[in-house]
Amino acid sequence: MDEVLPILSVAVPSIFLEGLDYLVPEGVSLAQAAPGVRVRVPLGRREVTGVVLSLKSNSSYDQKKLRRAIAFLDEEPLVSNELLLLYSWVSRYYHYPIGEVILGTLPSKLRQPKPAILKKKPALVPLHFEPIVDLNQEQKQAVEQLQQVQGYRCFLLDGVTGSGKTEVYMHAIVQALKKQQQVLVLVPEIALTPQTLARFEQRFSVPVIAYHSALTPAVRLQHWLLCRVDVPLIVIGTRSSVFAPFHHLGLIVIDEEHDASYKQQTGLRYSARDVAIKRASDCGIPIILGSATPSLESYHNAVEGRFGHLKLSERVGDGRMPEVELIDLRGQHCDSGLSPRLLELISAEVERGNQVLLFLNRRGFAPVMMCHHCGWVVRCHHCESNLVWHKHRQRLVCHHCDLRRQVPMCCAQCEQANLIPVGLGTEQLEESLTTQFAPVPVIRIDRDSTRRKNSLEDKLHRLESGEPVILVGTQMLTKGHHFSKLTLVGMIEADSGLMGVDFRARERFAQQLVQVSGRAGRGAQLGRVVIQTRQPDDAFLNQLLKLGYHGGLSESLVQRRQLGYPPFGYLALLQADDPHAHKPNDFLRQVYRMLDSFGGDVELLGPVPAPMEKLRGRYRAQLLIKSNRRKSLHSLLYQFHRQVKEIKLSRSVRWSVDVDPQVMT
């Protein structure tokens, strides 16, 4: 009778949805073989680091043909059972290989065959929290409801901009820390992490640590290991921190829960918000989703009673909601996108010693470089897009693949040397304002102007000083910032947001408008918001301004219910790309026929070319799967994964599955 040897199921970085089976390393104590331990294993001709998922006594493969693991890397499990269960759910829900899920979200240094050692354990310090402001009645009611909850409960903290949501977060955090628990606070952008970190460090005596991709690999590992220690602490992080290995997690807070940055758009396409809700449910702890402009999915869940609904309808202190003015650009002459009325308002505010924010979600100097003689446009060779003129760098740049080139000496079509920049970007707006309003400082904040280390913090510090400033910025400035002297916000081009083809386009426009408007009038002075548009009679825009965010989107909810789109239906997007233009569509047509043969309660839409068909030298197509039942959608995707190998093109065309897609590009 053959000896039965223990078998390890190991998550390895590979295409396999489940773990691979290995024999225990030779001469190793079985006591060391436990789920969550890292192990070095052979994979093809390579040696890789994996994580043990489970131990079992038999395998579906011939045990004599199983390869033996090389060595364990940890004395005890590095990944807890709670986290392994979460990883398993993520793998199943997003239909992504378990090894890529785990190894792709661990700190990169843990993929190396080296011990993971915490260099300095934090000291246990007495909890100290000093409220700086008195809570208003709505804030007190929200805090009381949060304090009463026992176990899991998801709350939507639905508060207008400047209503003091952060104070509610902090009071809820105190309750968790008093129980010696740990807290995760998710923010949508790395740019928001330093200021949030500083604010929490001022208020709490416990360790407050950052966790995001901009940390060095060594620092990120140390912060990851810190979470495993049994001490109360607060982690401020971006979406990847949802997988941090907390020893005793007691509360999760997701600020700006609506933000698209919480959805990973490449590789493992997970939603950090949804994973956080699942983790809170598994841990039996409360989770707070905060936003002035909640996603329609979260708002619908709150209205239906699945989430607790905490409302903050007024600004704290002396803050009042800003007045809104529409400027009709039709027939007007604009100077670098600025109407005479807006220029007049800017001049008046800076003369009073106030600050102004002008919002334009388009970086660079001009989005198009065009031949004035024949209309030819300089385009990217790798993408279906125009090259953007960056005057400061004297380069044309593709904002999709980062191709850079000099401006051609002449037109490629008519050979005339008459190329001109067309359209407006933040660089051009900054240049025009600097000329017109000297010596008032003009500060531009976008991805280009904040590349240098600490440049964003330096610019924000200057704004917080209260000196008269004209601020030009992109969506980086639409959330989380408080400038008490900022009294005027100008939305330079509102029309692009009103004309999006994505079913979420108007929701995103409304969020952007409300968020950027919310920067005005947060101090004692009344703020003003100016919206420049060539569509002043647009029904959606006027409904939004009249009824506010929730009322303005009521019709969108009705339309989504009729069409079966979220939150009333469930989606998955199959995407394919290849250097050959015909292959993605050919592959997805075969996928369509295969899925259609499965039947079930699903609807297949496509395949069609992606909105940007060519990206980074590859042609793209997509197939949308809709269902009124989540179970039906996932059942179809399971069948797809089991049988997709039967399609020959699946081995050459690159394809992916995006469950609950947020961007249809």
Side-chain angles (χ1 to χ4, degrees):
M1 183 175 178
D2 293 336
E3 181 186 3
V4 178
L5 299 175
I7 294 170
L8 306 175
S9 177
V10 180
V12 296
S14 71
I15 63 172
F16 300 103
L17 290 179
E18 299 175 344
L20 299 184
D21 290 350
Y22 290 90
L23 298 177
V24 173
E26 192 104 39
V28 172
S29 168
L30 291 182
Q32 199 175 346
V37 169
R38 290 179 303 149
V39 61
R40 199 71 177 165
V41 297
L43 183 65
R45 298 181 179 179
R46 300 179 294 147
E47 290 184 6
V48 299
T49 298
V51 174
V52 176
L53 298 174
S54 64
L55 277 69
K56 51 190 183 180
S57 59
N58 56 63
S59 171
S60 56
Y61 298 96
D62 184 351
Q63 184 168 328
K64 294 179 180 178
K65 295 182 179 180
L66 293 182
R67 303 176 77 177
R68 190 175 293 279
I70 299 166
F72 291 116
L73 302 178
D74 307 307
E75 295 292 332
E76 59 183 28
L78 203 61
V79 182
S80 67
N81 285 331
E82 178 261 322
L83 204 48
L84 284 176
L85 288 172
L86 181 70
Y87 279 133
S88 179
W89 177 86
V90 168
S91 174
R92 294 194 309 273
Y93 186 84
Y94 293 103
H95 300 267
Y96 204 71
I98 182 65
E100 294 290 348
V101 170
I102 298 177
L103 277 303
T105 56
L106 289 177
S108 59
K109 280 190 169 292
L110 290 181
R111 299 170 216 159
Q112 301 171 4
K114 297 179 180 179
I117 300 173
L118 178 62
K119 295 180 179 178
K120 184 178 180 182
K121 184 176 179 179
L124 189 63
V125 296
L127 172 63
H128 174 73
F129 170 73
E130 188 70 36
I132 294 177
V133 298
D134 293 329
L135 301 181
N136 62 29
Q137 190 59 37
E138 287 185 323
Q139 288 174 307
K140 289 178 181 177
Q141 290 174 355
V143 170
E144 288 171 2
Q145 289 188 55
L146 290 168
Q147 289 176 344
Q148 292 170 5
V149 68
Q150 298 292 328
Y152 166 72
R153 181 66 165 149
C154 185
F155 290 92
L156 174 62
L157 183 58
D158 187 356
V160 299
T161 54
S163 60
K165 292 185 288 295
T166 303
E167 286 299 326
V168 175
Y169 299 158
M170 289 186 169
H171 279 75
I173 289 169
V174 168
Q175 299 306 310
L177 296 177
K178 284 180 177 179
K179 300 173 186 176
Q180 299 297 300
Q181 295 174 326
Q182 298 167 319
V183 177
L184 169 62
V185 180
L186 283 170
V187 294
E189 303 275 0
I190 290 175
L192 295 176
T193 310
Q195 67 181 70
T196 309
L197 204 68
R199 190 170 181 181
F200 276 72
E201 286 174 338
Q202 291 172 0
R203 302 286 290 274
F204 294 100
S205 56
V206 302
V208 180
I209 60 176
Y211 192 85
H212 51 72
S213 60
L215 300 175
T216 65
V219 170
R220 193 173 189 186
L221 173 61
Q222 289 302 305
H223 287 192
W224 190 90
L225 293 171
L226 266 175
C227 296
R228 300 178 70 246
V229 179
D230 186 15
V231 295
L233 55 77
I234 301 170
V235 173
I236 311 290
T238 51
R239 60 176 176 258
S240 61
S241 60
V242 75
F243 297 108
F246 294 98
H247 183 274
H248 190 190
L249 186 60
L251 173 69
I252 301 176
V253 175
I254 305 183
D255 194 31
E256 310 291 0
E257 68 85 26
H258 67 278
D259 200 284
S261 299
Y262 286 125
K263 174 73 171 182
Q264 173 76 21
Q265 297 298 336
T266 58
L268 170 60
R269 291 166 167 81
Y270 70 98
S271 164
R273 179 195 63 196
D274 296 347
V275 173
I277 292 173
K278 171 63 176 173
R279 188 168 191 183
S281 176
D282 289 347
C283 294
I285 62 172
I287 177 170
I288 306 171
L289 313 181
S291 179
T293 55
S295 65
L296 288 189
E297 288 90 339
S298 294
Y299 179 67
H300 181 68
N301 280 328
V303 170
E304 292 294 309
R306 287 185 285 272
F307 293 173
H309 199 177
L310 311 175
K311 300 178 183 179
L312 304 178
S313 60
E314 297 179 355
R315 286 188 161 181
V316 296
D318 298 324
R320 292 169 289 170
M321 297 305 293
E323 296 178 349
V324 180
E325 178 181 340
L326 278 182
I327 295 180
D328 184 357
L329 293 182
R330 292 175 299 186
Q332 289 205 44
H333 171 73
C334 292
D335 187 347
S336 294
L338 302 170
S339 64
R341 170 63 176 161
L342 182 52
L343 286 169
E344 175 188 320
L345 291 171
I346 294 171
S347 180
E349 291 305 316
V350 294
E351 285 179 7
R352 294 189 188 104
N354 295 325
Q355 297 174 341
V356 174
L357 165 61
L358 300 178
F359 174 74
L360 178 63
N361 205 26
R362 188 186 297 130
R363 57 194 177 92
F365 188 89
V368 175
M369 185 64 75
M370 177 185 290
C371 174
H372 189 57
H373 183 73
C374 73
W376 175 76
V377 171
V378 187
R379 295 178 63 81
C380 177
H381 300 306
H382 306 300
C383 305
E384 194 179 42
S385 66
N386 302 325
L387 292 181
V388 179
W389 172 232
H390 285 250
K391 186 176 180 180
H392 291 185
R393 288 188 279 172
Q394 289 292 302
R395 285 289 185 275
L396 289 166
V397 180
C398 176
H399 286 180
H400 301 283
C401 71
D402 205 35
L403 172 73
R404 304 178 186 194
R405 60 172 295 190
Q406 293 182 333
V407 177
M409 296 296 293
C410 62
C411 173
Q413 187 165 287
C414 70
E415 299 185 351
Q416 295 287 321
N418 199 8
L419 297 179
I420 58 170
V422 177
L424 182 67
T426 51
E427 281 187 16
Q428 185 180 158
L429 189 56
E430 175 192 28
E431 183 178 279
S432 175
L433 290 164
T434 300
T435 301
Q436 294 186 69
F437 291 97
V440 178
V442 178
I443 298 176
R444 174 168 57 93
I445 295 183
D446 56 26
R447 203 171 358 150
D448 298 316
S449 68
T450 57
R451 292 180 187 273
R452 184 176 52 82
K453 186 178 180 180
N454 297 325
S455 59
L456 177 61
E457 289 83 352
D458 293 342
K459 292 173 187 286
L460 293 176
H461 180 71
R462 190 171 179 184
L463 285 161
E464 289 163 358
S465 70
E467 65 174 303
V469 162
I470 300 174
L471 178 61
V472 175
T474 59
Q475 62 184 0
M476 288 179 68
L477 286 172
T478 62
K479 54 221 168 192
H481 299 286
H482 178 93
F483 308 120
S484 59
K485 292 283 287 182
L486 200 154
T487 54
L488 174 64
V489 167
M491 198 168 193
I492 304 304
E493 290 187 2
D495 298 336
S496 58
L498 293 170
M499 295 184 290
V501 295
D502 192 313
F503 75 91
R504 285 192 174 90
R506 295 213 157 189
E507 176 188 1
R508 292 204 180 99
F509 170 77
Q511 290 166 344
Q512 199 172 71
L513 174 59
V514 172
Q515 292 285 345
V516 73
S517 299
R519 301 314 107 198
R522 296 171 75 98
Q525 299 186 65
L526 180 64
R528 179 186 294 272
V529 176
V530 174
I531 302 170
Q532 296 192 150
T533 176
R534 290 179 175 81
Q535 302 181 71
D537 301 322
D538 181 84
F540 172 70
L541 177 59
N542 283 277
Q543 185 177 14
L544 185 63
L545 297 179
K546 181 181 179 181
L547 301 178
Y549 177 75
H550 300 99
L553 285 170
S554 58
E555 183 63 28
S556 296
L557 271 173
V558 173
Q559 292 173 354
R560 290 200 193 179
R561 185 188 293 273
Q562 293 171 342
L563 296 171
Y565 281 111
F568 306 102
Y570 306 97
L571 304 177
L573 190 67
L574 294 179
Q575 297 174 308
D577 61 83
D578 192 85
H580 299 91
H582 66 93
K583 282 189 175 183
N585 205 52
D586 290 348
F587 168 68
L588 290 179
R589 276 202 299 265
Q590 294 180 56
V591 170
Y592 181 101
R593 289 193 290 270
M594 182 180 73
L595 297 180
D596 193 45
S597 69
F598 296 154
D601 182 21
V602 295
E603 181 181 0
L604 305 175
L605 301 176
V608 295
M612 180 176 289
E613 185 175 9
K614 189 180 181 184
L615 180 68
R616 300 184 184 93
R618 301 178 72 90
Y619 294 89
R620 309 186 304 151
Q622 54 194 40
L623 174 66
L624 185 66
I625 307 173
K626 285 177 56 183
S627 180
N628 293 325
R629 298 176 65 243
R630 194 192 301 271
K631 186 176 180 180
S632 298
L633 180 71
H634 285 278
S635 176
L636 187 75
L637 292 175
Y638 285 131
Q639 294 182 73
F640 163 75
H641 274 284
R642 282 199 300 267
Q643 298 190 27
V644 67
K645 293 178 183 178
E646 296 177 7
I647 300 176
K648 186 176 180 181
L649 277 173
S650 69
R651 294 187 286 275
S652 59
V653 170
R654 189 168 63 188
W655 56 268
S656 63
V657 177
D658 188 357
V659 177
D660 303 331
Q662 294 294 308
V663 179
M664 313 294 276
T665 57

